[in-house]
Amino acid sequence: MRLQISDLQLELTQGDIAAQKDIEAVVNAANAELKIGGGVAGAIHRKAGSELEKACRPLAPIEPGEAVITEAFNLPNQYVIHTLGPVYGRDKPEAALLEKCYQNSLKLAEEYQIKSIAFPAISTGAFGYPIEKAAAVSLETIKITAEELENIKIIRFVLYSSSDFRVYKEQAQKIFID
Ligand code: AR6
């Protein structure tokens, strides 16, 4: 699914965040220590190689909502932006912290003059954030931030499962089209 929001192209796709060859920066749903973990963090670190964990060491730990940037090593991208999502039911207020993850990642990307960025559905795996709510927060954040973006021209959400992909498409329809 592709939507044009003035200068910005918003894309929703089903796939692997570690295999986005045409994207400059991929976002990692990181842990506070910025170490290899499961899910997105596992896929990104495995593909990038052990140099990524070394590059992350001086930047850790990070707080929920915070974002930091490194190079991408063996990934097919230039940068990895690592952000720590809220643990649903523990880090509150969850929606504001999740919004910060997206805002701070976009802010860093703008600072680095990045033109294309791909996000996973932050916090919706191990951190337990319900997918419908997380989809609404992330897409609303794009909607309110789109006009401020100067360098970023493509934002892609990469959803892992077909059901998550469907939820995102439904939310995008509600937020951008209806
Ligand atoms: N590509 C795209 N999306 C994926 C991939 C992939 N390769 N693998 C999983 N997902 P999670 P969190 C989806 O758990 O909830 C880690 O262990 C997944 O289905 O990666 O923010 C870290 O070390 C889900 O929808 O991130 C942290 O400790 C979404 O990506 C913790 O988990 C996020 O799932 C972070 O938890």
Side-chain angles (χ1 to χ4, degrees):
M1 182 180 192
R2 269 186 194 185
L3 296 169
Q4 195 68 37
I5 306 155
S6 56
D7 247 10
L8 176 74
Q9 183 166 302
L10 176 65
E11 304 178 358
L12 306 182
T13 184
Q14 192 187 347
D16 178 1
I17 192 75
Q20 303 301 311
K21 294 194 174 72
D22 54 341
I23 290 284
E24 223 175 316
V26 287
V27 177
N28 182 15
N31 48 68
E33 297 302 323
L34 302 177
K35 291 189 170 159
I36 188 170
V40 166
I44 284 184
H45 276 273
R46 273 194 307 276
K47 190 78 175 277
S50 57
E51 289 294 306
L52 181 60
E53 225 179 48
K54 273 190 217 152
C56 283
R57 230 169 267 157
L59 306 173
I62 62 169
E63 299 285 323
E66 205 181 325
V68 294
I69 190 165
T70 63
E71 58 178 293
F73 302 98
N74 295 332
L75 280 158
N77 317 100
Q78 278 71 56
Y79 298 100
V80 179
I81 293 174
H82 309 258
T83 188
L84 177 63
V87 174
Y88 198 75
R90 190 190 77 187
D91 299 321
K92 296 192 172 169
E94 289 106 337
L97 289 171
L98 189 60
E99 189 177 326
K100 279 229 159 301
C101 289
Y102 288 97
Q103 279 173 343
N104 285 331
S105 298
L106 292 170
K107 201 166 145 203
L108 260 185
E110 280 287 318
E111 279 167 26
Y112 278 72
Q113 304 189 340
I114 287 164
K115 293 196 167 49
S116 55
I117 182 167
F119 285 98
I122 297 161
S123 281
T124 66
F127 286 177
Y129 211 117
I131 188 77
E132 285 84 3
K133 290 195 167 111
V137 170
S138 56
L139 293 168
E140 290 282 5
T141 306
I142 302 306
K143 190 176 183 181
I144 57 177
T145 314
E147 275 185 15
E148 296 162 22
L149 302 176
E150 287 178 1
N151 298 304
I152 300 169
K153 300 291 175 228
I154 298 176
I155 298 179
R156 179 180 296 162
F157 283 91
V158 181
L159 294 319
Y160 207 44
S161 70
S162 55
S163 59
D164 289 355
F165 181 44
R166 199 165 49 241
V167 169
Y168 258 76
K169 282 194 289 189
E170 284 164 9
Q171 288 292 342
Q173 171 81 29
K174 274 191 210 154
I175 291 167
F176 293 103
I177 301 168
D178 289 351

